[in-house]
Structures are given as C-alpha cells and as structure tokens.
Amino acid sequence: MVANAAPPRVAIIGGGISGLICGNRLKQLGLDSVVFDTGKNAVGGRASTRQVTIQGQKYFMDHSTQALVATTERFQRMVTHWEGLDLLQQWDPRVVGTLQPGGRFRPRPDTAPKMYINKKEGVSTLVSHLASSLTVQQPVWVSRLQRRPDGDFDVHGEGRKFPGSFQYAVVAHNGKCADKLMSTANVPAIHALLKVKFQAKPSPQQVMQLSSIWVLLVAFPAPLKLPWEGAFTEGVPELSWAANNSAKMQANRSPAHSQEVWTIISSREFGAAHKVPQENVPPQKDAEVKALLLAAFARAAGLDPSSLRPTYMRAQLWGAAVPMNVASSPCVLDAESRIGICGDWLVSPSVEGAALSGLALAEQIAAHHNGTAPNSVGLDAHFTVKPTPAIGDFGDGGGGSSGSSGNAAPGPTSSRASENAAGGGGGGYSRRGPGPGPGSGNGGRGQAGGGGRGGARSSAGERAGNGNGNGGNGNGRNGNGNGDGDGGGAGAVAEGASRAATPQGPTPAGAPLHSSQLSAPPRRPAAVAAMAAGAAGAGGGAARPKSASPWAPVPAAGTPGTQQRR
C-alpha cells in the first residue's frame, strides 16, 4: 500500500469489545469501517446486558461479562475516560469477593485490581457508547468473503451481498463460525489460528481452546438479604460466579421493582458436561440445568433450597465462552490478503485483553495502509495456557499464581545498550493472604530483567514502590530483576545483545507500534505480566508520558518532550 492512497474501508466481522474498539480506533486514525454483528437486540457479544420484563417491570441483568479491570496504563486511561463519561464506576471491593459453601464470603483484597461496572443499566451502556459512532449492520451472519478482481472484498451473508466493497477485513470473533468463515477465504495461516477446540480444561496443544459455560438468570420475589453483590465461588463444582443485579444496578431498584434478580454462572466442567447445541437446547436439558444451578447456588450462599421460589428463570449456554489459552501476538494481520484478527484470546480473556487487541489491529492496519508496516504480523503466533477463573481474567495473579513469580518470554531487543527493557512478570496479588506476592520475575531475552508488579497498593489506592531493578547479565540474554512496587525496576540491555532497533521518539498516527507503546505482550502471553505491571519499557520510577487522548498509545519510556508520571 502507498502512503497517499485513499482511506480504505474495513469490514469488521464481530461487534464485541475487540471489534468495536478496533472500529473506533480506525475512525480516529482516519479509516472507515462497517461492523457486522449477529446480535438481534444489541451488539457487544459477551459484553451484553439482557433486559427482561417480570410482572410488568423491566429488569437489567449482565449475563456474561460481569466486570472489568485495568492492569495496563493504556487501558487504565481509557477506563478513567469512561468513568468521566459516567459509563463505568468502581465496584466496592467490600461487596465483591470469594464465596465458599455455607455462605462464607471473603471480600476482594484492597491490593487486587479495582473492578469496574456500570451501576445504572449494566455493561451494555458502555457497549452502546462504543457502537454509537460506528456504522453497524445487525443482525447479520457473514458467511463468505469474496475477493474481487481489483483485490478488494465483497462481504456475503444470508444469501446476499452486503453493500459496498472493502480493502481490509477483520475477524473479531472466534469459535466455529470464525473457523468456518476462514475455511473458504484461501488464507491458510489465518484459518489455522482460528481453528478451535472446546474443552473443560486447558492443554498444551497448539490450538485455540474455548470453554463452554451456562448462565442462569433468575428472579426471586423477595430480597435474599445476602451481604455481598458479586462472588467467585469456591468448593461448589457446578458454579464459578454469582451476582446480585438488583444491588449492582440502580435501574433494578425503584419502588416498583419488587423482584431481586441474579446472574449465576456455571463452572467450565459443568458447561462441558451439559453441553448441547446452543441454537437448539432440548427442553429437558434446559430444565435440568436450571434445577442444578439453582441448587448449587443455594449451597454456596448457605440458603435453604426449598426457600428459593423463583418467579423467573432463563438459562443460556455460551458455547464459545472464555479462552483458556492465549496467542503470542496482540493481533494478527496477513499483509498479502489484508485480513486481520483481533480478540481477547490473543492477549488475555478479559475486556481489557479484547480492547488492547482491537487497538493493536487498528493501528497495524493504519500502518500497513500508510506503508510504514508492510509486513504481516502474528501469523506465526503460538498458544500458551492462561490460568484464569472461568469467567475471565481479573488481574489477580500477575505473572504467576498468587504469591509466586512469573517469567517473561523473549521480548523485542534494541540496538542501543542503554535502553530500558521490559522485566518479567511479578508475583501478583495475594488472593488469600493479607499482602501482595513477591514481585520478582525473569527478564526478556536480550534484555535486562525488571521486576513485575509485586508491591502493594495503599488503602487510598496510591501506587507504592521504590522502582528497584537489577541489570541483566553480560551476554544480554536472561537477566533477573526484582520490583518492590508497581512496575518494579528495569535494568539496561546488556552490551552487544541487541539486533533489532526499538523505535524512538513520538509515534505518528498509524505508524507501527513497539510493544512498549502498545501495552500488550511483546511476544508471548507470559509477557502480559510485565504489561500488567506497567513494565514493557519502564520500571518503577521511570518516566512515563501523559497523553492528551485516552485512546493513544503510551509512548516508550524516555520519549523526548514527555512528562514524568507521578
């Protein structure tokens, strides 16, 4: 592509978080897009709120995505911006936490990442905002991308061709539909990445692995009077999560709203054991799932099952629910075919992971169109298991399990021996103890080690940490570093270790992004730990610039003319 070419049109197939973020970022970079989504009532994919009428009153229930967290500086800026627009609010950590059988509730630690929700009408409020500035066609099923003689795409579905032609195509969904769509697109490398297996437990296999989960929406005629609003469940094999939508959302609490409405989410194992074709769930299976999940909820909450007399129940199977492994590139773009992929499964199974992937692909497409990034990215991505709760990643573990250390995989190297480099993943937050895990980790290949997030946050939410980091060893391969605070320290790249130069200075709109600017994993998903700690080019106490735009990338540490982050 040439830099002075007319702005291209991009077909985005999938209107979940990654697709909507990709479309918005493309628009900011001067590119046009059309989002194609299958949602009958709204876009958003798993980030959706179901509206139901019970006894003449409308109720709102988040029926997949329950909350989001921000563990990278770039996404935190976006979240802060959405807070300012009253699209998100912090969820009080005293009323969200962990639930064990018999109603034993433990609040979320103060050191854990803050959880954000929409306290008015649910997560769809944010999704509607993201979709409001885009051209969206719904509900439509895209079944085929057809290459035109001029090299552009026609988009087909439901027995017809959709209007217009497109210069780029984005696959912003996964599962069997994405697999099938790419099976006829003559892009074997893209298709290989979208092949999928459905299972209850992750494995080292080099294929995308998705879990299936059941969600039960239920209404009770009177408040259950439980002292919490949302909880990850432990010790109840059928369940993974439960949340009180009446306590969570103001729209469900007017004097006319007599019902208390809940979202109950199954475990992966339950989903696998009771999986059926989600387009045609047999009535007997529907009834069985409702009864089993309701009984499991009673056990977890310490309630008498006979006292639960629901006035409304709806069970939904999410067949392609939450990724259990992640790829090693924040996005994929085949430069020859101009087909790209974005989604949370490329970064982390979370709203943040989806958003970072959408941003990455939009910026890669703009760079490819401008001629500054002519090559493909991500086609050789490989998969690594990502241990998370069944409903996604909420940033509790840093680089490893609670209180353990994590390892950063090889990151991008630099031709300058003095450049700051990304450190390893931190020990993360201690989920069960009163304090944080140790913030140690291994540095990336060719870089000095820097500790990941291991330090605590004070009760006021201020960042604590001294930014200590130890340099790498003389051969510039794997160095160890320790970080006592938020981000730890980053050392210097060892002399002679580098091969590919790290971009320096401000990045033009649409230019290819170094991983430190993207706040996404440089190579492998283990580097998400360093990304989450705000490492990736900066350690504790390192200069971090402020940006006028909450969507803009975080420039590399030491960029001329930037202000120091406090």
Side-chain angles (χ1 to χ4, degrees):
M1 305 296 290
V2 292
N4 60 353
R9 297 182 76 220
V10 182
I12 300 176
I13 304 162
I17 292 292
S18 64
L20 295 176
I21 291 288
C22 183
N24 275 274
R25 186 63 178 141
L26 285 169
K27 184 174 183 178
Q28 293 168 3
L29 296 172
L31 282 68
D32 188 24
S33 69
V34 177
V35 177
F36 298 88
D37 191 67
T38 60
K40 294 180 180 179
N41 300 310
V43 295
R46 284 174 282 143
S48 58
T49 307
R50 187 173 291 279
Q51 301 179 29
V52 300
T53 300
I54 306 170
Q55 297 183 356
Q57 293 296 323
K58 183 182 291 185
Y59 291 82
F60 296 81
M61 304 187 198
D62 285 337
H63 69 132
S64 184
T65 298
Q66 297 296 296
L68 59 91
V69 300
T71 64
T72 60
E73 182 174 348
R74 186 175 192 182
F75 191 61
Q76 181 63 67
R77 289 207 322 263
M78 297 170 70
V79 167
T80 300
H81 173 68
W82 292 330
E83 277 190 284
L85 298 177
D86 207 23
L87 297 169
L88 292 176
Q89 299 82 34
Q90 291 182 25
W91 204 350
D92 187 343
R94 295 171 297 179
V95 297
V96 60
T98 303
L99 183 69
Q100 294 180 328
R104 293 174 292 164
F105 175 72
R106 182 176 65 251
R108 191 168 170 84
D110 289 338
T111 52
K114 298 173 183 177
M115 297 178 79
Y116 295 87
I117 58 176
N118 180 277
K119 295 183 178 180
K120 295 183 177 180
E121 296 182 351
V123 69
S124 283
T125 306
L126 172 62
V127 170
S128 297
H129 169 76
L130 294 174
S132 64
S133 61
L134 301 177
T135 301
V136 178
Q137 293 199 22
Q138 65 171 125
V140 295
W141 287 85
V142 173
S143 58
R144 183 165 54 97
L145 295 175
Q146 182 177 6
R147 184 77 67 179
R148 295 158 52 102
D150 60 5
D152 292 349
F153 294 103
D154 286 335
V155 178
H156 294 258
E158 302 176 341
R160 62 190 174 101
K161 184 186 88 67
F162 298 109
S165 62
F166 301 87
Q167 287 71 53
Y168 291 85
V170 168
V171 181
H173 65 297
N174 55 25
K176 292 182 178 178
C177 294
D179 183 351
K180 184 177 180 180
L181 177 65
M182 288 296 100
S183 68
T184 61
N186 196 28
V187 280
I190 292 282
H191 182 216
L193 289 171
L194 288 169
K195 291 181 181 293
V196 61
K197 289 191 67 174
F198 298 93
Q199 52 199 52
K201 295 182 179 180
S203 73
Q205 290 178 286
Q206 286 300 303
V207 63
M208 185 196 311
Q209 298 165 39
L210 301 177
S211 64
S212 299
I213 57 175
W214 281 93
V215 176
L216 177 65
L217 305 181
V218 58
F220 302 107
L224 301 181
K225 298 182 180 179
L226 296 174
W228 49 272
E229 295 179 7
F232 298 94
T233 58
E234 295 179 348
V236 181
E238 300 92 333
L239 296 187
S240 66
W241 171 267
N244 182 346
N245 292 292
S246 292
K248 189 178 177 183
M249 301 179 206
Q250 297 172 4
N252 296 326
R253 296 201 302 267
S254 78
H257 288 83
S258 60
Q259 309 291 300
E260 187 168 87
V261 290
W262 285 75
T263 297
I264 299 168
I265 302 181
S266 82
S267 64
R268 298 184 183 110
E269 292 77 11
F270 184 92
H274 295 273
K275 188 172 182 182
V276 292
Q278 66 185 82
E279 301 84 4
N280 187 24
V281 176
Q284 63 272 24
K285 178 58 69 176
D286 180 77
E288 179 188 10
V289 165
K290 289 175 180 175
L292 290 172
L293 291 181
L294 189 63
F297 171 68
R299 294 201 312 276
L303 301 171
D304 178 1
S306 65
S307 69
L308 299 180
R309 300 183 180 275
T311 54
Y312 172 90
M313 285 200 294
R314 180 188 178 109
Q316 176 170 339
L317 173 62
W318 290 93
V322 179
M324 293 183 291
N325 57 357
V326 293
S328 57
S329 174
C331 70
V332 178
L333 180 64
D334 183 346
E336 182 177 356
S337 69
R338 302 196 304 278
I339 295 177
I341 314 173
C342 60
D344 63 344
W345 60 275
L346 290 162
V347 178
S348 176
S350 62
V351 172
E352 179 175 32
L356 292 175
S357 182
L359 290 170
L361 182 56
E363 288 158 359
Q364 192 67 38
I365 288 173
H368 181 264
H369 170 68
N370 292 337
T372 55
N375 298 323
S376 299
V377 296
L379 293 178
D380 59 349
H382 64 275
F383 290 92
T384 303
V385 171
K386 175 74 173 179
T388 69
I391 65 169
D393 185 6
F394 289 88
D396 295 291
S401 60
S402 233
S404 65
S405 64
N407 297 319
T413 56
S414 170
S415 61
R416 297 176 58 182
S418 61
E419 280 299 317
N420 284 334
Y429 298 101
S430 173
R431 297 191 63 178
R432 292 179 172 79
S440 64
N442 295 325
R445 183 183 182 93
Q447 303 179 349
R453 171 174 285 171
R457 291 174 186 262
S458 70
S459 59
E462 295 297 324
R463 297 176 184 270
N466 61 18
N468 294 328
N470 297 326
N473 59 21
N475 64 9
R477 292 179 67 84
N478 292 326
N480 296 322
N482 296 312
D484 296 325
D486 194 15
V493 174
E495 194 104 33
S498 56
R499 288 178 295 276
T502 298
Q504 300 298 311
T507 302
L513 296 177
H514 183 251
S515 59
S516 63
Q517 298 166 295
L518 177 62
S519 293
R523 293 277 181 180
R524 303 172 193 254
V528 172
M531 173 183 76
R544 294 293 274 171
K546 296 180 180 178
S547 171
S549 169
W551 290 75
V554 178
T559 299
T562 58
Q563 298 176 339
Q564 182 168 350
R565 181 185 176 196
R566 297 184 182 275

